[in-house]
Amino acid sequence: MIRSVAAAALLSAILGFVLGDGLVQAISVALLVSLALCSVLLLIGGLGSLRREADAHRGLVLRYVKAILDHEGLPYRFIKWEESSVIRNSRGDSLDTTTIRAEVTESGMLFMRLAFGSGWPQPSRHRGKVRLRVRKLLIGDRPGVNLERTVQWLGDGRLRLVIHFAEPPRVGEEISVVVECDWPGKSMPFMREGKADKFTFRFGRPVPYARYQVTLPEGVDAAFEPFGFSEHDEGVHWGRATDERGRARFYVDGVDVVAHRELGMLLQIS
């Protein structure tokens, strides 16, 4: 019904513009503009509805994945976790790369669940600019094809990620994936407000080896303290280095990281 009325109005406006006098043409132009505006508003409304529906579906996927893993347990264990965050500028734009190596412990593994965070509740306009890619790594760390993934944003700035595998890997097989995230404004408070910020990881199961490193923009340095461990803890190595471009790089290496232990570093621009 609405489409028929709109079509009739559009036809009348076009005929009025072509065949009418000055006043009729002016009215016809106004009607055409109004119809165009209404079409845009309807399109925006339709996109908003589709976006809300997609968000609801993503939420359901994450909910069912959590229910399955809570009931049956993780079908894999992490062997190595290497996370790198390169802060590129004073806005806190970051390029994050996380390489994960895991051993399959149960049959039928179809997905892996992860979580990442910015440490502050980013506005939705920032989240929409985040670009995420997940790939499988082959022998020799050669990049494989992109893997399907489901992403959900939480109100506190965390990003939940489920990686989907086309076929379940074999029990005992080691799999490697790399998560690349171009994240505008991830470290904005840290870079702009001069406040101390923490860069940490935490796992639901023990991990034999985990590393977190943060690289600052050129010409920027920071004070550095351990978080979640003392300076003399065995099994944790931490320090400051300089990369090939002269940028300050801070790192924490943990061996036999226990479950539910938040471990990492506190940084503050100096």
Side-chain angles (χ1 to χ4, degrees):
M1 180 65 179
I2 295 176
R3 290 182 179 177
S4 300
V5 172
L10 178 60
L11 179 60
S12 299
I14 293 173
L15 290 175
F17 180 77
V18 174
L19 303 176
D21 57 17
L23 178 59
V24 173
Q25 286 180 338
I27 295 174
S28 299
V29 170
L31 181 56
L32 286 170
V33 172
S34 298
L35 287 171
L37 179 59
C38 289
S39 299
V40 171
L41 292 175
L42 288 172
L43 179 60
I44 292 174
L47 290 175
S49 177
L50 289 173
R51 188 178 296 111
R52 288 190 294 273
E53 185 176 354
D55 289 341
H57 288 166
R58 281 192 291 267
L60 288 173
V61 170
L62 271 293
R63 177 183 177 185
Y64 296 147
V65 165
K66 183 179 185 302
I68 292 171
L69 295 181
D70 288 347
H71 183 264
E72 300 183 1
L74 294 177
Y76 55 87
R77 69 177 186 91
F78 293 137
I79 300 173
K80 180 184 288 188
W81 177 285
E82 295 176 295
E83 186 169 354
S84 170
S85 182
V86 178
I87 303 175
R88 297 184 294 185
N89 50 46
S90 60
R91 296 187 302 271
D93 298 343
S94 297
L95 181 61
D96 294 357
T97 304
T98 304
T99 303
I100 302 154
R101 304 186 191 279
E103 179 187 4
V104 181
T105 57
E106 303 288 343
S107 60
M109 175 182 167
L110 290 174
F111 46 75
M112 177 183 289
R113 185 180 63 170
L114 307 171
F116 301 93
S118 64
W120 68 290
Q122 282 188 290
S124 58
R125 66 179 183 275
H126 288 186
R127 300 177 184 181
K129 298 177 181 178
V130 173
R131 295 293 176 262
L132 187 72
R133 182 166 69 166
V134 182
R135 292 181 295 173
K136 188 174 181 180
L137 294 179
L138 307 177
I139 296 176
D141 285 346
R142 291 181 294 110
V145 299
N146 292 346
L147 297 172
E148 295 293 332
R149 75 284 194 287
T150 301
V151 176
Q152 182 189 39
W153 286 96
L154 304 181
D156 60 1
R158 283 185 298 155
L159 180 154
R160 285 180 176 169
L161 170 66
V162 172
I163 302 171
H164 304 275
F165 297 98
E167 296 181 358
R170 298 186 303 273
V171 176
E173 181 180 352
E174 289 189 10
I175 57 174
S176 298
V177 297
V178 59
V179 180
E180 299 171 340
C181 189
D182 189 348
W183 196 325
K186 180 185 179 185
S187 297
M188 183 179 293
F190 168 69
M191 291 297 299
R192 287 191 170 180
E193 299 174 14
K195 296 181 179 179
D197 200 359
K198 65 178 182 179
F199 299 81
T200 60
F201 43 61
R202 180 170 55 189
F203 307 102
R205 286 185 176 182
V207 177
Y209 176 81
R211 177 181 177 88
Y212 200 146
Q213 71 176 25
V214 177
T215 303
L216 302 184
E218 293 183 46
V220 178
D221 209 341
F224 175 34
E225 290 185 8
F227 184 92
F229 66 98
S230 69
E231 296 184 56
H232 306 292
D233 272 6
E234 294 185 4
V236 183
H237 183 235
W238 60 289
R240 179 191 182 282
T242 303
D243 73 357
E244 64 280 356
R245 292 171 52 181
R247 297 177 297 183
R249 173 175 291 170
F250 303 87
Y251 62 90
V252 171
D253 294 340
V255 177
D256 295 328
V257 180
V258 300
H260 308 297
R261 180 184 183 183
E262 190 174 12
L263 186 70
M265 66 191 90
L266 276 175
L267 294 178
Q268 186 173 28
I269 299 298
S270 57

